[in-house]
Amino acid sequence: MRITSKMMNDNSLYNINNNKAYQDKLNTQMATQKKFNDPSDDPISAIRSLRFRSSLAEINQYLERNVSDAVSWVDSSQTAIDTALDLMRSLKSEYVAGANGDKKTTEDRKVYLKNMRSLQEEYYAVGNSTNEDRYMFTGYRTGDALTFTADNLKVRQAALEDEDEVPFKYQGIVENFDANDIEDYTYTYKKNSGGTPEASGLTNSDITSLSSVNETDIVNNKQYRLRLAYKNIEGDANKDKEYKYGDADNNTFTSYKLELRKKDGSISSSYSVEVIENDYEAKLEEGTAKVYLNKTTGNLIFNSDVREELVKADNYTFTYDKNFTASDVGELKPEHYFYCTDTALGKNKKIKYEEYDQQIDCTIGNSQNV
């Protein structure tokens, strides 16, 4: 092929322009500190860059937010737990000191009791510990306190149409028990001349002095009990004096029963529960299978006949109602532990709570959870 001078000049100009274009590209990269400005400049590198940028954003999110948040949560939780352990040690110390020593008077033990109640209040207050305005010990309900506080009682009271209405009414609180929950239980009463408990016998809260009582008239009755989570249990009594609890779904009332259940949750048998206000009212002769609920103390009391049947069952449940007022500040909220329905705001504003595995997962890295 014949090469002319014009062809050589055109080729030189073409190479010079290419060099200028490449020089301009290098100058632009140096000025902008970017390898390319448009995806079309280098499609493969552009895709890789976008992927790296997304990964870097995730790493920064984990590092700057998730990890620090998780560390803060764990540190705050550990501090609260350490405080709770210290309170429990102090509580044990007060209990042991109050129980030991023959020279301690009733007044001395009242001081110990007062101290233990103060420690108990502090212990539950630790349960309301927060981290960045989130409650740490209420499972996934991080916006809800563990106990009833003066503030949430005040807010609920203000929301009620009737100022005399109870701020929190819970219907159908379901408590689950098994054989490990059965306790030996001894209660005391005074016999009358006929040998039976007197109607004015020793109450649960009024045993202050036995100096005027003949020792032979005092009976220690050894039985068994299950302890409910709350005292002062609610219940409506019909004309037959049969106490019942409410069913918020059907607006009906059901008699108190201790229901024995199989592993699949079905009811195998049940015991009717009679409501009393003092332990001495329980008539638990051998050979009779009765269960009594002391609505004041929240104790389910029964004898060895019932205990034998309970031990054979897989588990058992008891359902009841409970109202909470301003005097219950510091009491644990039932929705964190039991199936129940809050009905205080009215028929159409009830809040139904179910029992869940309340676990919080915090993602601190790719496929890494705490």
Side-chain angles (χ1 to χ4, degrees):
M1 185 177 80
R2 180 172 175 269
I3 305 297
T4 64
S5 297
K6 186 176 186 311
M7 292 173 63
M8 294 174 62
N9 291 336
D10 289 343
N11 193 39
S12 296
L13 289 172
Y14 175 76
N15 289 331
I16 290 172
N17 283 331
N18 279 345
N19 288 336
K20 285 183 177 180
Y22 185 62
Q23 182 183 16
D24 178 63
K25 179 180 178 181
L26 293 176
N27 286 332
T28 302
Q29 288 180 350
M30 185 171 62
T32 61
Q33 298 293 304
K34 295 179 180 179
K35 187 176 181 180
F36 52 85
N37 290 308
D38 297 314
S40 59
D41 294 343
D42 189 346
I44 295 177
S45 296
I47 292 173
R48 289 177 178 174
S49 177
L50 291 172
R51 287 177 178 171
F52 288 148
R53 185 175 298 179
S54 177
S55 297
L56 182 61
E58 289 182 5
I59 292 172
N60 287 334
Q61 167 70 18
Y62 296 141
L63 180 62
E64 297 174 5
R65 179 62 182 173
N66 292 34
V67 172
S68 61
D69 184 58
V71 170
S72 174
W73 186 277
V74 171
D75 287 344
S76 298
S77 299
Q78 186 62 54
T79 300
I81 291 172
D82 290 341
T83 301
L85 286 173
D86 290 339
L87 289 170
M88 290 301 293
R89 293 188 186 101
S90 299
L91 186 63
K92 181 180 179 181
S93 176
E94 291 287 328
Y95 174 80
V96 172
N100 293 338
D102 297 332
K103 296 182 179 180
K104 289 188 173 64
T105 64
T106 301
E107 293 301 319
D108 293 332
R109 291 192 168 90
K110 284 183 179 179
V111 173
Y112 285 115
L113 178 60
K114 183 179 179 180
N115 292 340
M116 285 190 287
R117 284 175 174 166
S118 297
L119 290 169
Q120 178 191 23
E121 292 174 2
E122 291 182 49
Y123 180 81
Y124 286 132
V126 171
N128 288 329
S129 299
T130 61
N131 178 267
E132 296 183 359
D133 296 326
R134 294 175 298 170
Y135 291 96
M136 298 185 296
F137 299 110
T138 54
Y140 66 89
R141 296 191 182 102
T142 56
D144 196 8
L146 181 69
T147 68
F148 291 102
T149 65
D151 288 339
N152 57 40
L153 284 165
K154 183 178 179 180
V155 170
R156 174 59 71 88
Q157 193 73 61
L160 298 176
E161 297 178 359
D162 184 356
E163 61 180 12
D164 294 327
E165 187 62 80
V166 175
F168 286 95
K169 283 184 177 180
Y170 289 86
Q171 285 189 342
I173 298 175
V174 182
E175 286 206 43
N176 293 278
F177 303 95
D178 59 32
N180 294 322
D181 297 312
I182 300 174
E183 300 177 354
D184 294 335
Y185 183 55
T186 301
Y187 58 91
T188 304
Y189 66 83
K190 183 177 68 172
K191 296 186 298 184
N192 60 19
S193 57
T196 58
E198 289 188 0
S200 59
L202 302 174
T203 65
N204 301 307
S205 59
D206 196 31
I207 303 177
T208 56
S209 174
L210 301 179
S211 58
S212 61
V213 180
N214 191 328
E215 187 173 332
T216 58
D217 293 335
I218 301 301
V219 175
N220 290 323
N221 199 334
K222 296 182 178 180
Q223 302 293 349
Y224 301 92
R225 73 172 175 183
L226 293 170
R227 287 195 287 179
L228 299 180
Y230 301 102
K231 301 177 181 179
N232 300 316
I233 308 303
E234 303 296 328
D236 288 344
N238 61 16
K239 294 180 181 179
D240 298 325
K241 300 296 182 183
E242 183 180 20
Y243 280 81
K244 300 184 176 185
Y245 70 90
D247 183 340
D249 290 329
N250 302 316
N251 295 317
T252 59
F253 286 86
T254 307
S255 300
Y256 280 137
K257 289 183 179 180
L258 182 62
E259 297 176 329
L260 282 64
R261 296 180 179 272
K262 302 177 182 177
K263 289 184 178 179
D264 61 4
S266 60
I267 300 174
S268 58
S269 60
S270 63
Y271 288 100
S272 296
V273 175
E274 184 174 333
V275 178
I276 58 177
E277 295 187 0
N278 293 288
D279 289 343
Y280 67 82
E281 298 176 43
K283 299 176 178 61
L284 293 169
E285 298 83 5
E286 291 299 322
T288 60
K290 285 187 176 182
V291 179
Y292 291 87
L293 166 64
N294 186 325
K295 62 179 297 185
T296 304
T297 62
N299 285 331
L300 288 168
I301 308 170
F302 45 89
N303 60 17
S304 57
D305 297 309
V306 175
R307 179 187 178 279
E308 290 178 6
E309 295 301 316
L310 293 181
V311 170
K312 296 176 185 177
D314 292 308
N315 57 75
Y316 12 100
T317 60
F318 183 71
T319 308
Y320 60 95
D321 295 344
K322 170 68 179 169
N323 295 343
F324 296 90
T325 63
S327 62
D328 292 305
V329 170
E331 189 69 83
L332 294 169
K333 290 185 174 182
E335 59 261 36
H336 297 309
Y337 301 95
F338 311 112
Y339 288 101
C340 56
T341 304
D342 178 9
T343 62
L345 290 175
K347 179 180 178 181
N348 299 321
K349 297 180 181 179
K350 61 188 178 184
I351 306 172
K352 190 170 184 178
Y353 297 101
E354 296 187 356
E355 198 173 33
Y356 295 107
D357 181 15
Q358 299 181 16
Q359 179 171 300
I360 300 175
D361 287 333
C362 183
T363 304
I364 60 172
N366 188 20
S367 301
Q368 294 178 321
N369 292 350
V370 172

